[in-house]
Amino acid sequence: IVSGSHSDLLMVTGHGEIKWLGGTRDDAAGESFDKVARLIGLPYPGGPAIDQLAPSGNKDAIKFSRPMINSKDFDFSFSGIKTEASRYREKINTINKAKQADFAASFQEAVVDVIATKTLRAAKQYKVKSILAGGGVAANTRLKKELQTRGLEAGFKVFVPPPSLSTDNGAVMASYAYYNWNPQTPLTIEADPTLDFE
């Protein structure tokens, strides 16, 4: 799951059977896209703006680090690269369209590399059959291409929903309702005010 608030790797073995492998320690991928987009003068939400501009830039123009890419766990941390981008931006007096595109492409490449690398490592370690990406950042064209290319090369089936279903929480809720529909007679439902939020 890659979104504005979550970067998580989950292993699903059946409906409702989910094992959390690792996730966000601080800023999620989508949050870092939004913040870096603002740094270089792109509109909110930053993810789509960076995705649209990046193809016209040079992804090797700025050597951004790949946070936690070699850690043995499956956690993510994007606050450091966001700070790195902020410091680099401070060194640039003016940012024209070409520099903006290079910045977007280089930053996007770093984030995508981390997500794709850790996802493939988890898939291999846990010997899964397929990889499924979800969340708003799954709409990123570069991430989709990297997951599909690396995943297929490693022998995995890769599923990435179209952008319209990556960013629509209504589709998530409809899917949940479909698989968990349990009709009740309103007169027999008992309220429990002590229920926990989890």
Side-chain angles (χ1 to χ4, degrees):
I1 298 172
V2 278
S3 69
S5 56
H6 298 283
S7 296
D8 291 300
L9 282 171
L10 308 163
M11 183 172 67
V12 181
T13 55
H15 179 66
E17 298 171 9
I18 302 169
K19 179 179 180 179
W20 184 82
L21 305 180
T24 306
R25 289 192 179 180
D26 40 54
D27 287 4
E31 184 181 359
S32 68
F33 273 120
D34 289 338
K35 290 178 178 176
V36 169
R38 188 172 63 232
L39 280 176
I40 59 175
L42 295 177
Y44 180 87
I50 286 177
D51 190 19
Q52 187 175 12
L53 182 61
S56 62
N58 176 4
K59 64 183 176 62
D60 299 313
I62 305 168
K63 302 297 181 189
F64 285 117
S65 62
R66 271 47 173 177
M68 298 186 71
I69 198 166
N70 295 316
S71 66
K72 297 190 179 188
D73 55 39
F74 295 114
D75 288 345
F76 298 94
S77 170
F78 293 110
S79 66
I81 191 173
K82 179 198 70 181
T83 303
E84 185 182 351
S86 178
R87 288 183 181 148
Y88 188 88
R89 174 62 183 95
E90 288 172 3
K91 296 176 184 177
I92 305 171
N93 293 328
T94 58
I95 187 159
N96 57 26
K97 198 72 174 173
K99 285 182 181 176
Q100 204 179 37
D102 287 348
F103 206 112
S106 299
F107 183 78
Q108 175 178 264
E109 193 66 17
V111 172
V112 164
D113 189 20
V114 172
I115 295 170
T117 298
K118 292 203 127 183
T119 300
L120 265 294
R121 191 181 299 146
K124 290 172 184 175
Q125 181 173 320
Y126 286 93
K127 298 179 173 61
V128 300
K129 295 178 182 176
S130 59
I131 296 168
L132 169 64
V137 181
N140 181 279
T141 53
R142 182 74 185 130
L143 177 59
K144 180 178 182 177
K145 183 178 179 183
E146 276 298 289
L147 285 175
Q148 290 177 329
T149 301
R150 295 191 200 186
L152 292 173
E153 284 175 356
F156 298 105
K157 292 179 181 178
V158 180
F159 301 94
V160 183
S164 61
L165 297 179
S166 296
T167 57
D168 184 3
N169 286 334
V172 174
M173 297 315 296
S175 176
Y176 182 84
Y178 177 83
Y179 287 104
N180 295 281
W181 175 246
N182 184 15
Q184 301 279 331
T185 304
L187 297 176
T188 62
I189 296 175
E190 294 184 12
D192 183 355
T194 64
L195 283 175
D196 196 353
F197 284 109
E198 294 182 12

